[in-house]
Every structure is written in C-alpha cells, then in structure tokens.
Amino acid sequence: MTSGIRIVACCAVVSTIIGGSAFADTSGKKIAFSNNYAGNSWRQAMLKSYEIVTKKAVVDKVVAAADVFTTADKDVPTQAAQIQNLILQGYDAIVINASSPDALNGAVKQACDAGIVVVSFDGIVTEPCAYRVVVDFKAMGNQEVEQMAKFQPKGGNLLEIRGLAGTSIDDAIHAGILEGVKAHPQFKIVSSVTGDWDQTTAQKAVATVLPSLPDVVGVVDQGGDGYGAAQAFAAAGKPRPTIIMGNRQDELQWWKEQKAKDGYTTWSASIAPGVSTLAFWVAQQVLDGNKTIPHDLLVPYLAFTQDNFETELPNIPKGSVASHEYTREEAVAAIKANMK
C-alpha cells in the first residue's frame, strides 16, 4: 500500500475482524452488482477491483456468487428494469452504482421488500432501506476551488467540466464548486460543459466552447477530464490554465511533464474505484448478521498534492486510475469508524 492510498484506508487499519468471528454463514448467499455505466477509465478500474476481490471471495466460499451486470445504456429505466430482474433471479443482495439518486428508489424498495440487502456506492440512492457508501463529493468540489485560490490568488475565469448528468456525484461536486466560488468571488465560471468523466468526451466538449470564451485561468472538474481539457487548450493555442486533476494516470503523467518543464502546480482528487469492494463487503457483512452497520458510511476521497503525486504515479497502470481494494478486515474497520 502506497503513501497515497493510505489516505483512503486510514480508517481501516486492523489486524482481525471485529468480534473475531462471523455471525452467520454467507457461503450460500448470492450478491449481484448493478452498474449503470462502464465507459471511462474510472469505471473500468472499479470493475477490475470488484472482480479481483469478489472472485477470491467466491473461491474462498465466503459467498456463492458475485455477478456483475452493466446496463447497455445510461438510462434510469434500463437500470430499474435490471434491478427488478435481479430480484426475480433470487439474489440475496444487490450492490448498486446508481444512475440516479432518487429515480431508482421504487425498484430499490421492491428489492428491500423482497428481503434483499441493497448497498449503493459512488452513485447512491436515497431510499432509506438501502445502505450507502459515500464520499463527501460536495466537500471535494469545494476543495477544488480552495486549492485553485492558492494557485490563482488573483482569481479569474473558470471553466467547469461536469460529469454524468443526473447522478448524485455530478450534482454534489457541482454544488461544492458553486459553494467554493461563492466563498471566493474573485472567480467566475464562464462556461460549463459535460465530460462524462471521460477524457475524450471532455476534450471534444472543451474544444467546442473554447473559441467563444474569454481567457480562462483555471478548470474545475470531476475526474477523468483533466488530460482531455489540457489537450483541448493546447490544440486551440490557448494559454495553459490551472487544471484540477482526478487521479487518472494520463492526467498525473501530464502533470509530471508540465512540472518538469516549468514547475506547473495543481491538485488532484477522486473517489478510489476500489470503493466498489467496500460496498461488496458491506453487503456481505449485512448478510452475515452484522446489525451494527449504519445505513450511511462516509469514506474519505483520495487526494494528491504537488509533493506526493509523483510517488504514486508508477503504481497506477497506464490508462487507469489510483485505487485500493478493500479486504474484509478493512471493511469491518471502516464500518466501526462510522459508528463513532
């Protein structure tokens, strides 16, 4: 585990599972993962982390199955239908990365009423019966502007790149950015584009609006879009702004090159894709009879600074994103940390 990843796992340092033994046998339980989108490096890393941990859990007979289902599109009705199908297929728990915080609540309630444990993460659901593994995305968005104020103390125009429309993550980070700008009125958001947390999509979106924009001193975003933004500014011959990064390998590599060239400074933050594995273990622990689990578990986001991002960069596969897979012991410790 690297020094950067310790930021994610700081609440998860234990040597044994709390309580020392399981409450019930989950070896016959089946857990499904309903995922609404897989079209960027973060989602691919999320699925890879989930596969690594759950495949071992099945082999070790911790659970009988941990199947993954990704929808063919990003539409809410498609994921709602998928969840209803998983109910009919007899799964004991459903882990969800949700396309909407509230539009899936009907399907989630149906699952709960059928005795199925539901754990949402990243894109969470608001249905009270579900569990939520959450990052304070609003605080992260706010912190982007706080960091920007250090790099651009005189202020200026900002370009905002938003994520996947309709998700709780996009709404929360956007709200945090607006809150940050309100606290730092020297900044003004002059344009907002949608990047889908994907560098190719972000590059095209930024390239479309750049010709009509005044000079931009900074880019605030949601992750997976920093490198695309940099490419768009370079292609347009525009001055290089301060671009907040999102822990992707291509972003951090570009940052390293710019730093080596002229001392370029910025900041990077994102939720670790391996949070999917924490959601899996929360579902397993609920099935295991652990009655102490709160329905809302807060975990820290992973951030890198000018001083430590280069240390983490070699540990991130090309085209991927900084991550961490949770063990069951770490998951139980994270649960305990949220009970304080």
Side-chain angles (χ1 to χ4, degrees), residues 31-90:
I31 299 176
F33 178 11
S34 170
N35 176 47
N36 77 306
Y37 179 63
N40 59 35
S41 60
W42 192 96
R43 291 292 178 112
Q44 290 299 315
M46 173 198 75
L47 291 169
K48 183 178 180 180
S49 289
Y50 193 84
E51 180 184 13
I52 289 170
V53 169
T54 60
K55 184 177 290 186
K56 185 176 187 302
V58 172
V59 169
D60 292 344
K61 300 188 184 305
V62 177
V63 294
D67 303 319
V68 177
F69 301 87
T70 297
T71 58
D73 57 49
K74 297 176 281 189
D75 294 340
V76 171
T78 305
Q79 191 172 25
Q82 180 189 76
I83 293 169
Q84 290 166 338
N85 286 333
L86 296 176
I87 295 170
L88 295 174
Q89 290 175 42

Side-chain angles (χ1 to χ4, degrees), residues 262-274:
D262 57 18
Y264 184 82
T265 58
T266 187
W267 183 76
S268 182
S270 180
I271 181 174

Side-chain angles (χ1 to χ4, degrees), residues 92-111:
D92 300 286
I94 302 173
V95 172
I96 301 177
N97 196 334
S99 52
S100 168
D102 49 24
L104 291 175
N105 283 349
V108 170
K109 184 65 163 59
Q110 289 175 32

